[in-house]
Amino acid sequence: MPLMTTKPMFDLAYDGGFAIGAFNVNNMELAQAILDACAKEKSPLILQISKGARKYANIRYLKAIIDAGVAEYPDLPICVHCDHGDTVDLIQHCINDGYTSVMIDGSHYDYEKNVALTKEATDLAHANGVVVEAELGMLGGIEEDVVGLDAHEYEKNIEKFLTDPKQAVDFAKRTGIDSLAVAIGTSHGAFKFKHEAKLAFNRIEEIMKTCPGLPLVMHGSSSVPQEFIDLVNKYGGNMPNAKGVPEDQINMAVSKYGVCKVNIDTDLRLAMTAKIREVFMTKPAEFDPRNYLGPAREAITKMVQRKLHVLNSAGKADAINKQWEKLGKPLPKFYAGKK
Ligand code: G3H
Ligand code: 13P
Ligand code: ZN
């Protein structure tokens, strides 16, 4: 049952030239597609659940689907993570639900409030054997339950929102977090840039220097491939000017600068939407959900496989499993006594 925390994953990713893909799950098809892709590519993975996903699917259903997936793929290193947790109460629920990792996101608060919230959540999670990601600096893009800034305003004033490398040291020391989500020019959603997409690689480098050993996380890392935008628009959609982070820049952040976790949601949504639109437009008499959700699931699988190569994580499952064994197979308290 290689359900695990991110610890064995980041131990190897930190200076291994690869990153762990963290993919958002909202329903059965997404979970199946992500797991299928990782099994095909022998890649470790993080399944992440946002507050919106908990609400949409009802966490009981979603967790049962994920537990079934973990049982279905006993050799796959899997971490179940809370994406953008915003309160200690939510973190407690995630711990009770058997998550192995949580994010507490106080990045929209002032610094001292972010420190206090993150410290409280971290103490609670650590007491339960769960690892913690927190965020410093601010991202652009506005999602359902994630506080952010207008992506284009963000792009104009980027310097002001990037993670401060000196503050990052203080933040990590005072909170005890296990990984840090950094603001380096990415935004959430499909409309990240008006102008040329450019990540602040020098910031990653500086933070790696001031915080040696601390795994860094990149949110808002979808690439919004033009061919998928073209498909969406061809089949009746309307997504003009969508733009993401080019895949070569994501690969660079991972392979050259050492980012350990890369969050991808939008690209999976795009693959799914493009395929469903295609079926509806080309087969207007189709009304069996299996005949559009099935092809959509296959499209998501292919998209995730493509991402695993961008992140260089294909083929890394065995090494992560070995590292997990070496660490003594640590799991949250929730799993004590369970097989
Ligand atoms: O960063 C946010 C993720 O894309 C989740 O989005 O809150 O709409 O589920 P969501
Ligand atoms: P994208 O919107 O770029 O896929 O980012 C997802 C994310 O950061 C989830 O936390
Ligand atoms: Zn995010």
Side-chain angles (χ1 to χ4, degrees):
M1 183 185 76
L3 181 67
M4 57 184 72
T5 68
T6 48
K7 167 86 175 119
M9 300 182 176
F10 294 165
D11 278 357
L12 298 196
Y14 188 77
D15 47 17
F18 70 98
I20 315 297
F23 303 103
N24 288 73
V25 192
N26 289 279
N27 66 9
M28 182 185 79
E29 282 76 11
L30 279 158
Q32 289 177 331
I34 296 163
L35 288 164
D36 183 27
C38 293
K40 283 186 167 122
E41 300 295 341
K42 299 192 181 346
S43 169
L45 73 146
I46 296 167
L47 286 174
Q48 53 186 15
I49 306 169
S50 71
K51 194 169 144 189
R54 285 178 72 91
K55 244 190 316 195
Y56 169 77
N58 178 340
I59 189 58
R60 277 193 142 170
Y61 287 83
L62 202 50
K63 195 53 189 12
I65 288 166
I66 290 174
D67 289 345
V70 171
E72 189 73 17
Y73 297 100
D75 299 325
L76 214 51
I78 303 170
C79 163
V80 177
H81 174 76
C82 163
D83 190 28
H84 293 284
D86 57 353
T87 61
V88 172
D89 190 47
L90 173 58
I91 298 302
Q92 180 69 69
H93 282 293
C94 294
I95 292 168
N96 297 346
D97 290 332
Y99 289 44
T100 57
S101 171
V102 290
M103 175 191 192
I104 181 76
D105 181 1
S107 60
H108 47 291
Y109 293 127
D110 68 44
Y111 181 64
E112 286 302 326
K113 192 162 176 196
N114 190 3
V115 169
L117 175 69
T118 302
K119 166 104 176 83
E120 193 183 348
T122 305
D123 289 348
L124 173 66
H126 283 178
N128 287 279
V130 171
V131 293
V132 180
E133 170 188 329
E135 182 168 319
L136 192 61
M138 261 196 104
L139 261 73
I142 294 153
E143 299 290 299
E144 189 185 315
D145 281 299
V146 179
V147 184
L149 301 156
D150 175 80
H152 294 152
E153 283 306 309
Y154 182 71
E155 193 182 355
K156 274 193 259 168
N157 299 294
I158 189 80
E159 276 296 320
K160 169 161 120 197
F161 301 114
L162 298 181
T163 305
D164 175 342
K166 285 202 188 107
Q167 203 172 48
V169 194
D170 182 68
F171 187 74
K173 268 197 198 134
R174 287 171 65 191
T175 58
I177 49 168
D178 303 283
S179 61
L180 180 68
V182 289
I184 47 136
T186 62
S187 290
H188 288 112
F191 302 90
K192 300 186 194 297
F193 305 98
K194 225 178 196 152
H195 307 287
E196 199 199 340
K198 212 160 170 257
L199 298 188
F201 291 120
N202 57 335
R203 255 328 140 103
I204 311 180
E205 213 167 16
E206 287 167 29
I207 302 165
M208 291 286 280
K209 271 194 200 133
T210 56
C211 303
L214 182 66
L216 302 187
V217 177
M218 234 165 61
H219 282 242
S221 299
S222 279
S223 298
V224 192
Q226 189 57 42
E227 63 267 34
F228 285 84
I229 294 301
D230 291 345
L231 283 173
V232 167
N233 291 338
K234 176 176 169 189
Y235 294 117
N238 183 19
M239 296 186 72
N241 310 320
K243 201 169 183 180
V245 187
E247 282 171 344
D248 59 340
Q249 290 193 32
I250 299 286
N251 181 268
M252 182 88 109
V254 168
S255 59
K256 182 156 181 228
Y257 294 92
V259 165
C260 285
K261 172 176 180 267
V262 172
N263 284 19
I264 299 171
D265 184 0
T266 297
D267 283 349
L268 278 54
R269 295 178 180 192
L270 278 177
M272 185 171 197
T273 300
K275 187 48 81 174
I276 291 174
R277 282 193 174 282
E278 183 186 331
V279 176
F280 283 171
M281 289 284 273
T282 56
K283 299 177 185 166
E286 187 55 72
F287 70 100
D288 181 342
R290 292 170 296 189
N291 294 337
Y292 50 88
L293 292 178
R297 183 172 56 191
E298 280 168 29
I300 301 163
T301 301
K302 286 200 186 105
M303 177 64 87
V304 174
Q305 284 183 270
R306 165 179 175 158
K307 297 293 159 185
L308 299 174
H309 288 279
V310 172
L311 303 180
N312 297 337
S313 78
K316 298 289 195 292
D318 284 352
I320 303 283
N321 284 337
K322 281 198 189 104
Q323 178 66 7
W324 183 59
E325 276 174 32
K326 201 170 134 192
L327 294 172
K329 301 187 178 185
L331 267 175
K333 277 190 184 164
F334 177 90
Y335 293 96
K338 298 189 186 188
K339 282 205 176 159

